Amino acid sequence: MKDYLNIALPKGRLGEKVYDLFEKAGFGCPAIRSPGRKLVFESEENRVRYFWVKPSDVPIYVERGAADLGVAGKDILLEYTPDVYELLDLGLGKCRLAVAGKKGARLHGDRTLRVATKFSHVAREYYASLGRDVDLIHLNGSIELAPLLGLSDVILDIVETGTTLKENDLEVRETVAPVSARLIANKASFAFKKREADRLLSALSDQLEETK
Ligand code: PRP
């Protein structure tokens, strides 16, 4: 329906926190709390439809207009650079993208640095900005293993509490970018559903202001 806002939420812990914020802002959808494996929920009262989406897929749904709005981590936005509007920093899911290596290890400047990461685009841009040539190794998870097994010299990954690094005898070398969850919008939807999107945007901003 034309006046419904279709919103892609990142499945998982961050998504639950994001939904709580939307609910407090007056965009609740009680059905979403019911257990089960359903992925689409709507509230006729609040004219919203929510989808649970794999976090890294949120920008795809929004960029292609399958969702009008979505919430994605800045890490995902930096990696996939979707053509969407970034409307608001929700201040949730705060962490950082960082380069880490084995504790105390000295890196030899005369050899090409081997960097293991899930964030290949971010890594390429980051090292290009430093004018440094690197050997990028794309992995899909458990990135911390790479330097331990000698697959790479460093990793570029998400660091939240730092526990994963610590428990694997790794340490942060450089911070690449701060990360938090962002509200994003499909460009055409933001024009066609401007009134509804603006209403959500200001309700979320007010809610964030209140909890500051
Ligand atoms: C992320 C990241 C680190 C960990 C950092 O992994 O890749 O492994 O969280 O958190 P910490 O600093 O609080 O220890 P995630 O759980 O997203 O899974 P992944 O292995 O698929 O990257």
Side-chain angles (χ1 to χ4, degrees), residues 118 140-144 157-165:
K118 222 169 19 179
N140 298 301
S142 302
I143 318 296
E144 292 82 1
D157 200 15
I158 292 288
V159 179
E160 192 181 349
T161 60
T163 310
T164 311
L165 292 183

Coordinates of all heavy atoms in Angstrom, one line a residue, residues 118 140-144 157-165, ligand 1:
K118 N 37.0 -9.0 5.8 CA 35.7 -9.2 5.2 C 35.4 -7.9 4.4 O 34.5 -7.8 3.6 CB 34.7 -9.3 6.3 CG 33.7 -10.3 6.2 CD 32.9 -10.7 7.4 CE 32.7 -9.9 8.5 NZ 31.8 -10.4 9.6
N140 N 35.5 -14.6 5.0 CA 34.1 -14.3 5.3 C 33.7 -14.3 6.8 O 32.6 -14.1 7.1 CB 33.2 -15.4 4.5 CG 33.4 -15.2 3.0 OD1 33.1 -14.2 2.5 ND2 33.9 -16.2 2.4
G141 N 34.7 -14.7 7.6 CA 34.4 -14.7 9.1 C 35.6 -15.2 9.8 O 36.6 -15.6 9.2
S142 N 35.5 -15.1 11.2 CA 36.7 -15.5 12.0 C 38.0 -15.0 11.5 O 39.0 -15.7 11.4 CB 36.8 -17.1 12.1 OG 35.6 -17.6 12.6
I143 N 38.0 -13.7 11.2 CA 39.1 -13.0 10.6 C 40.4 -13.1 11.5 O 41.5 -13.2 11.0 CB 38.8 -11.5 10.3 CG1 37.4 -11.4 9.7 CG2 39.8 -10.9 9.4 CD1 37.2 -12.0 8.4
E144 N 40.1 -13.1 12.8 CA 41.2 -13.1 13.8 C 42.2 -14.3 13.6 O 43.3 -14.3 14.1 CB 40.6 -13.1 15.2 CG 39.9 -11.8 15.6 CD 38.5 -11.7 15.1 OE1 38.0 -12.7 14.5 OE2 37.9 -10.6 15.3
D157 N 39.1 -5.3 10.7 CA 37.9 -5.9 11.1 C 37.2 -5.0 12.1 O 37.7 -3.9 12.5 CB 38.2 -7.3 11.8 CG 36.9 -8.2 11.8 OD1 35.9 -7.9 11.1 OD2 36.9 -9.2 12.6
I158 N 36.0 -5.4 12.5 CA 35.2 -4.7 13.5 C 35.8 -5.0 14.9 O 36.0 -6.2 15.2 CB 33.7 -5.3 13.5 CG1 33.0 -4.9 12.2 CG2 32.9 -4.8 14.7 CD1 32.7 -3.4 12.1
V159 N 35.9 -3.9 15.7 CA 36.3 -4.1 17.1 C 35.3 -3.4 17.9 O 35.0 -2.3 17.7 CB 37.7 -3.5 17.4 CG1 38.0 -3.7 18.9 CG2 38.8 -4.1 16.5
E160 N 34.6 -4.2 18.8 CA 33.6 -3.6 19.7 C 34.2 -3.5 21.1 O 34.7 -2.4 21.5 CB 32.3 -4.4 19.6 CG 31.1 -3.7 20.2 CD 29.9 -4.5 20.2 OE1 29.8 -5.6 19.5 OE2 28.9 -4.1 20.9
T161 N 34.2 -4.6 21.8 CA 34.7 -4.5 23.2 C 36.2 -4.8 23.2 O 36.9 -4.4 24.2 CB 34.1 -5.6 24.1 OG1 34.4 -6.9 23.4 CG2 32.6 -5.4 24.1
G162 N 36.7 -5.4 22.1 CA 38.2 -5.7 22.1 C 38.4 -7.1 22.6 O 39.6 -7.6 22.6
T163 N 37.4 -7.8 23.1 CA 37.6 -9.1 23.7 C 38.1 -10.1 22.8 O 39.0 -10.9 23.1 CB 36.2 -9.6 24.3 OG1 35.7 -8.5 25.1 CG2 36.4 -10.8 25.2
T164 N 37.6 -10.1 21.6 CA 38.0 -11.1 20.6 C 39.5 -11.0 20.3 O 40.3 -12.0 20.2 CB 37.2 -11.0 19.3 OG1 35.8 -11.0 19.6 CG2 37.5 -12.2 18.4
L165 N 40.0 -9.7 20.1 CA 41.4 -9.5 19.9 C 42.2 -10.0 21.1 O 43.2 -10.7 20.9 CB 41.6 -8.0 19.7 CG 41.1 -7.4 18.4 CD1 41.5 -5.9 18.3 CD2 41.5 -8.1 17.1
Ligands
PRP1 C1 32.7 -9.3 15.0 C2 34.1 -9.0 14.6 C3 34.9 -9.5 15.7 C4 34.0 -9.3 16.9 C5 34.5 -8.1 17.6 O1 32.4 -10.6 14.7 O2 34.4 -9.7 13.3 O3 35.2 -10.9 15.5 O4 32.7 -9.1 16.4 O5 33.8 -7.9 18.8 P1 34.6 -7.7 20.2 O6 35.6 -6.6 20.0 O7 33.5 -7.2 21.2 O8 35.2 -8.9 20.7 P2 30.9 -11.2 14.5 O9 30.4 -11.7 15.8 O10 30.1 -10.1 13.8 O11 31.2 -12.4 13.5 P3 32.2 -12.7 12.3 O12 33.1 -13.7 12.8 O13 31.3 -13.2 11.2 O14 32.8 -11.4 11.8

